[in-house]
Amino acid sequence: MILRLLPLLLGLSTPVFFTPVLAQAAAPAALDRLYDKVHCETAGQSFTGADLRQRLIGQSGLTMTVELLIAIESRSLGQLAATSKDAALSGLLTSTETVLSTPMVAEARFLLTSQAQPDARASAIAFLNGDTDGISLACTAASTLPPPPTPAVFVPQKEPAAKQRGLILADSKNDFIKPARERGFATLGFEEDKAADTRLLNASLALAIEPMLFAKPSETTELRWTPFVQYNRRAARSGREEFNDLTLGNSIIFRNPTQPGRAIGFGSLAFQTDDAAKAAVWVGDALIDFPRVRPCTRRDALGWAMRCNLSIVVDYADVQDPGDSQKLAELDAYLRGGMNLGLSAEQAFGFGVITITSSYNGRYDITSRKASGGIFSVGAGLRPSAGSNISLETRYTRGTTINTLLDVDKITLRLGYRL
């Protein structure tokens, strides 16, 4: 995220330079100051709408707070500027309206091309959110003066970045498409299962190589793949209601890396067995995540940072050997459809970060209805910091598990770790 924000803090690498513009600038005359130090090497040289957006943000006099960084990253800066009482943010929105609503010839050396929008404020909000398609700034002539010297920039010395390990450790394979800070934790826990009337130890993890580039169908889309291992284990002294699920497979991730608000596709083909190799089930699934239709996306409510997810899932299984599973023994194959829903909130306190999460994963068996399942859970956890890879959590879970089709009604205390 820091690398993505460097252009905002230090300026882009293209030979374009600006002097600060007052955030309160609203009159068209302010455009002269906006373009004051833009250096055109040749006639026809153009700058994209993204360039123009970054320069407007960089010259607005904003103080880079956590709220502002999250708004820029999650493409909600326009909404924040429209509702904020901060003078710099309000001035940024006003300046953006002024720039986008100017005539085609904005200034003697430049030609501004933008989409015609009847609502200038809505257009400015969308532009600050990152919808910059169709907007560009072109030079009509080369600059007669040499470019100003690059100002010296002091960059605070930072700790050397930790070397990438090239591995992902999370709760399940579905976490591979999520940003690192939103992935579930691989866990080891103690649970009391009311449905089985027993106490068990529980382990859950998914381990994968960092997704590798497989192909680029176009300039704006890419396919990445990763082999993975997923393991779930419940163990009790009595052996009752005990199960283990070992899955080996490959996954494919389809996404537009330059547009974080667009849909993400995920698919996998895997062989499901157990650590004694008694079962043999071939499974495949496809998942589509819709960030833009989530009811909330990284919004704040009473100081709590809210996150939501919504995914549509289709999966298929061919049961060759059910092993010890009585549920799978009743099935030869199944085709299911369903969804994953999630809601989480977190807030930092002096002693750490409190998180509250809830989720529902449901599958409906289209073929025989024998493999239908749905599981609901709600939990609260404590982490040392917002970006910490360690978590202590208590969780209540009820329903029918998705893969093993066991009925559970349990309370779990678990320690989690992720990479």
Side-chain angles (χ1 to χ4, degrees):
M1 181 177 72
I2 294 175
L3 292 176
R4 280 182 281 170
L5 291 172
L6 280 177
L8 301 180
L9 302 176
L10 306 180
L12 294 185
S13 58
T14 52
V16 182
F17 306 90
F18 287 85
T19 53
V21 175
L22 294 177
Q24 294 83 359
L31 294 175
D32 296 336
R33 300 192 63 188
L34 173 65
Y35 302 134
D36 230 2
K37 296 281 181 77
V38 178
H39 178 72
C40 297
E41 294 180 334
T42 60
Q45 183 180 1
S46 63
F47 308 105
T48 66
D51 291 342
L52 181 59
R53 173 177 176 268
Q54 288 174 326
R55 283 160 175 74
L56 285 168
I57 295 173
Q59 297 178 94
S60 60
L62 295 173
T63 301
M64 287 296 170
T65 63
V66 173
E67 181 184 25
L68 181 59
L69 294 177
I70 291 175
I72 294 173
E73 182 184 5
S74 61
R75 299 169 60 86
S76 59
L77 179 61
Q79 287 93 331
L80 179 62
T83 58
S84 175
K85 296 181 181 179
D86 183 85
L89 275 170
S90 301
L92 171 62
L93 182 59
T94 302
S95 297
T96 304
E97 288 186 54
T98 302
V99 169
L100 297 182
S101 60
T102 53
M104 288 294 288
V105 180
E107 194 255 356
R109 288 180 290 128
F110 299 97
L111 185 69
L112 177 69
T113 303
S114 65
Q115 299 167 326
Q117 295 288 346
D119 189 337
R121 185 177 178 82
S123 177
I125 291 173
F127 181 80
L128 290 177
N129 284 344
D131 294 334
T132 59
D133 294 342
I135 299 175
S136 63
L137 188 68
C139 301
T140 57
S143 299
T144 57
L145 298 176
T150 304
V153 178
F154 173 74
V155 180
Q157 188 174 5
K158 298 187 296 184
E159 295 277 337
K163 186 178 179 180
Q164 291 287 341
R165 301 188 185 184
L167 293 175
I168 295 176
L169 178 65
D171 179 54
S172 76
K173 61 182 176 61
N174 292 338
D175 287 316
F176 301 158
I177 65 174
K178 299 178 182 178
R181 289 181 57 177
E182 296 182 22
R183 293 173 187 151
F185 291 82
T187 58
L188 176 65
F190 171 80
E191 69 181 48
E192 180 174 353
D193 194 331
K194 298 179 181 179
D197 191 23
T198 187
R199 295 178 176 85
L200 309 102
L201 290 176
N202 180 287
S204 175
L205 65 89
L207 181 65
I209 298 174
E210 193 79 28
M212 297 168 284
L213 185 63
F214 179 73
K216 286 185 70 67
S218 71
E219 291 298 321
T220 58
T221 58
E222 66 180 24
L223 288 172
R224 291 185 176 270
W225 74 278
T226 179
F228 68 88
V229 177
Q230 181 170 294
Y231 184 61
N232 292 276
R233 173 77 156 154
R234 298 173 74 206
R237 289 184 179 179
S238 65
R240 297 172 60 234
E241 296 298 322
E242 182 173 325
F243 76 85
N244 62 77
D245 178 14
L246 176 63
T247 304
L248 310 172
N250 275 287
S251 64
I252 292 288
I253 301 171
F254 174 83
R255 62 184 170 188
N256 182 337
T258 63
Q259 298 289 337
R262 301 288 174 88
I264 301 173
F266 176 86
S268 67
L269 179 64
F271 178 73
Q272 183 177 313
T273 182
D274 52 53
D275 52 21
K278 293 181 180 179
V281 182
W282 286 99
V283 294
D285 65 350
L287 177 150
I288 300 179
D289 187 74
F290 299 96
R292 283 192 172 179
V293 298
R294 296 174 182 174
C296 69
T297 303
R298 297 182 182 178
R299 295 182 180 175
D300 289 342
L302 300 178
W304 290 83
M306 310 287 292
R307 289 190 178 93
C308 304
N309 65 19
L310 167 63
S311 304
I312 305 299
V313 187
V314 176
D315 63 0
Y316 173 80
D318 180 11
V319 182
Q320 298 183 356
D321 187 342
D324 295 331
S325 173
Q326 297 179 359
K327 291 282 188 177
L328 291 179
E330 301 174 5
L331 298 166
D332 293 324
Y334 62 73
L335 175 64
R336 304 185 303 187
M339 65 177 60
N340 297 335
L341 299 173
L343 173 64
S344 67
E346 67 177 44
Q347 184 168 188
F349 296 91
F351 53 84
V353 176
I354 295 292
T355 61
I356 299 174
T357 59
S358 63
S359 65
Y360 175 77
N361 296 342
R363 303 288 185 274
Y364 179 76
D365 187 348
I366 302 172
T367 53
S368 65
R369 301 186 181 179
K370 294 180 180 179
S372 296
I375 194 159
F376 168 79
S377 68
V378 60
L382 174 64
R383 303 202 302 264
S385 64
S388 175
N389 289 332
I390 301 175
S391 173
L392 180 64
E393 181 187 58
T394 181
R395 178 166 291 274
Y396 173 69
T397 305
R398 184 170 185 175
T400 302
T401 57
I402 300 300
N403 291 334
T404 54
L405 303 176
L406 289 178
D407 294 331
V408 295
D409 183 3
K410 63 183 182 180
I411 298 175
T412 308
L413 178 64
R414 57 188 190 176
L415 180 65
Y417 184 74
R418 66 186 175 188
L419 289 175

